[in-house]
Amino acid sequence: GSAFDTTTTLALAAERPGGHEQNHAEVDPGAFGTGRRTVRHSPHKFLRKGEGSGGFADSEAKDREDSKESHVKFSLGRAGAFAARPNPPNTEFRRFYERGDLPIQIDHRGVKNALMWKVDIDKLDYHHYLPIFFDGLRETEFPYVFMARQGVYDMLDNAGESKVLPVIPQLIIPIKTALNTRIHEVIVVVLKVLQKLVKTDRDQNGMSLTGQALVPYYRQILPILNIFIRRNENTGDAICYSQQRTENL
């Protein structure tokens, strides 16, 4: 390009799913040991007239101190562990669908929409299509959100013997990316898909082979779930129907 070109390429300016900025706040050394940071006292800082308690009781002296303009209160900000992270619309599912490479279309019906497949699901290459649909689980816009989620359910329901099990390593990155967005709706959908995923392939004794294949990848899936495991909503005497709809974490 030209030497006078000052524009930024899209590859450098694109957001990363689940990305966050580094915390540049000053680190307190007392948080990692028994030592404490001390401040060297200045001889110019001493008690002046009108700054003491003046014979007042502790409560009255505190009120006088709070009313002074020089008194500054510090409050700790929120850590933001539950806050949603960036979720840019750059999924592989969206890219393949807009390019016309996915054999699906929406069937607009009277009550609710349905997903129509242009080919038999049994003839699909699960190594190619299943990771693409899993990458679309973090979509939140219609119609991508409907097609990606319904496509995953259809492929898992119609999966033949030993079709999903060999694809497990390719599904870990899309699952981890969707969880890293920390969006409540996306996390709930991923948990439902994981529950359905472990019921696909079973051995002769009824044991889940897919669940055993997910064990080596727990360190990539569980950290985000560990953040939300103790997040309970205090509704008081109100009624919350999210458990009935299986929409709570």
Side-chain angles (χ1 to χ4, degrees), residues 10-206:
L10 293 177
L12 298 178
E15 288 184 313
R16 180 174 60 89
H20 56 277
E21 297 181 356
Q22 184 178 1
N23 186 8
H24 298 284
E26 188 177 359
V27 179
D28 183 11
F32 304 97
T34 57
R36 293 184 178 181
R37 175 179 295 177
T38 58
V39 181
R40 185 175 181 179
H41 295 284
S42 172
H44 302 287
K45 293 183 179 180
F46 53 88
L47 191 63
R48 291 180 173 83
K49 181 179 179 181
E51 293 181 352
S53 60
F56 293 96
D58 293 340
S59 59
E60 296 179 353
K62 185 176 183 304
D63 294 338
R64 289 169 57 90
E65 185 69 19
D66 293 340
S67 62
K68 294 181 179 179
E69 297 180 358
S70 60
H71 183 71
V72 181
K73 293 184 178 181
F74 296 93
S75 60
L76 298 177
R78 291 181 176 271
F82 303 125
R85 298 296 190 265
N87 187 22
N90 56 357
T91 62
E92 290 293 316
F93 176 82
R94 179 181 294 224
R95 184 167 66 90
F96 274 79
Y97 177 76
E98 292 178 349
R99 203 167 60 182
D101 292 342
L102 298 180
I104 57 174
Q105 67 181 23
I106 298 182
D107 184 12
H108 298 279
R109 299 182 179 179
V111 180
K112 62 179 181 179
N113 297 331
L115 190 65
M116 180 181 298
W117 292 84
K118 301 178 182 178
V119 297
D120 294 337
I121 301 180
D122 299 336
K123 299 180 181 179
L124 291 176
D125 183 9
Y126 273 58
H127 281 275
H128 175 70
Y129 286 104
L130 194 57
I132 295 176
F133 278 88
F134 264 78
D135 191 41
L137 290 178
R138 64 181 178 91
E139 287 284 356
T140 57
E141 298 180 5
F142 186 85
Y144 310 103
V145 56
F146 166 74
M147 292 187 296
R149 298 175 184 180
Q150 189 61 40
V152 169
Y153 287 133
D154 290 348
M155 294 186 70
L156 295 180
D157 288 335
N158 297 273
E161 185 178 358
S162 300
K163 273 198 169 185
V164 179
L165 186 60
V167 197
I168 292 297
Q170 304 179 37
L171 304 180
I172 302 303
I173 297 301
I175 292 175
K176 180 183 177 182
T177 304
L179 292 176
N180 283 340
T181 59
R182 304 192 188 186
I183 301 177
H184 181 91
E185 177 189 358
V186 175
I187 296 178
V188 170
V189 172
V190 173
L191 291 178
K192 292 181 180 179
V193 170
L194 288 176
Q195 292 176 356
K196 197 171 189 62
L197 181 65
V198 297
K199 299 178 182 179
T200 51
D201 288 332
R202 296 181 179 272
D203 57 8
Q204 298 178 355
N205 299 327

